[in-house]
Amino acid sequence: MTAPPETGILVLAGTPIGDITDAPPRLARELADADVIAAEDTRRLRRLTQALGVQTSGRVVSYFEGNESARTPELVEALADGARVLLVTDAGMPSVSDPGYRLVAAAVEKGIRVTAVPGPSAVLTALALSGLPVDRFCFEGFLPRKAGERRSRLSEVADERRTLVYFEAPHRLDDTLAAMAAVFGEDRRAAVCRELTKTYEEVRRGPLAELAQWAAEGVRGEITVVVAGAPEKGAEELGPEELVRRVRVREEAGERRKEAIAAVAVEVGLPKRVVFDAVVAAKHG
């Protein structure tokens, strides 16, 4: 009697979001060793392997939004037969606004091991560069294309205190920022991160209304938007003494006054000028 084959392993591989040299060394090894490579775009996969100098020997199949449901059972069968299946998407981590969730869920259900090659993430990179609080955040992915549905989705998180992260297409950015300004408030702080790790990387920070006006002139490239969470309830009622106290606490912890003022403004959801004026008044009072 022939023993049943050991089950294989599903490897989710993070790929560079721009700069090819960000690829982790393990990615090249996994590409070379995989029995099956499921790629969102096989042409991009060829460019990736060429750039890394990797010779693949495994079977390459396409795995994208249009065939994800149909191809998942085939890949699960390969895993059940002992194959090492590598899943790569165009950029970043599979399953994060990219194909992958269905395959992971199906593999987990069958008791198949799933692991990952950590790699670049537009979500975390934009969050770190935004200058907004990073201790707690929510990733909201892409907003609906229709204006009414988009506004409804934004309304659901209008009171969310955590920092919000979104993906958006460049041709919809101005409409999205305008909708955010209408729902969250024109003065809500945000950052638009464009072409991260690429030659023309740009991070534009400011109030939502100001960013919407800037985006109306036209923006190109891959976009990630980071928005400050909702201000504390009653933040507009905080007196100058409380604002000054919060700045001093941060200064005593080692922050420079300029950074402390900016951080408190974001924390309570007030314009930076209001906090600055309170600190200046206390100094001369």
Side-chain angles (χ1 to χ4, degrees), residues 27-90:
L27 176 59
R29 187 169 71 250
E30 292 289 354
L31 285 165
D33 294 346
D35 299 308
V36 180
I37 301 175
E40 184 178 10
D41 187 323
T42 57
R43 292 167 300 181
R44 289 201 181 195
L45 173 65
R46 282 196 297 272
R47 291 199 292 271
L48 175 64
T49 56
Q50 289 170 1
L52 297 178
V54 175
Q55 186 70 41
T56 60
S57 58
R59 178 167 59 97
V60 175
V61 299
S62 62
Y63 190 76
F64 58 97
E65 185 178 1
N67 72 354
E68 191 174 0
S69 295
R71 180 136 284 169
T72 292
E74 171 192 331
L75 293 173
V76 172
E77 182 177 352
L79 287 163
D81 287 341
R84 189 177 190 89
V85 176
L86 183 70
L87 176 60
V88 294
T89 52
D90 291 349

Side-chain angles (χ1 to χ4, degrees), residues 1-146:
M1 181 177 177
T2 304
E6 293 184 4
T7 57
I9 182 170
L10 173 61
V11 183
L12 310 178
T15 55
I17 58 176
D19 190 332
I20 192 64
T21 61
D22 289 336
R26 185 178 154 206
L27 176 59
R29 187 169 71 250
E30 292 289 354
L31 285 165
D33 294 346
D35 299 308
V36 180
I37 301 175
E40 184 178 10
D41 187 323
T42 57
R43 292 167 300 181
R44 289 201 181 195
L45 173 65
R46 282 196 297 272
R47 291 199 292 271
L48 175 64
T49 56
Q50 289 170 1
L52 297 178
V54 175
Q55 186 70 41
T56 60
S57 58
R59 178 167 59 97
V60 175
V61 299
S62 62
Y63 190 76
F64 58 97
E65 185 178 1
N67 72 354
E68 191 174 0
S69 295
R71 180 136 284 169
T72 292
E74 171 192 331
L75 293 173
V76 172
E77 182 177 352
L79 287 163
D81 287 341
R84 189 177 190 89
V85 176
L86 183 70
L87 176 60
V88 294
T89 52
D90 291 349
M93 202 68 197
S95 292
V96 182
S97 284
D98 275 335
Y101 167 74
R102 287 185 178 88
L103 181 56
V104 172
V108 169
E109 185 178 355
K110 295 291 185 181
I112 296 167
R113 184 185 169 201
V114 181
T115 188
V117 179
S121 164
V123 175
L124 296 180
T125 303
L127 187 67
L129 293 178
S130 70
L132 299 171
V134 299
D135 52 336
R136 300 172 67 224
F137 70 94
C138 310
F139 175 57
E140 290 288 310
F142 284 95
L143 287 165
R145 297 182 181 184
K146 294 183 179 179

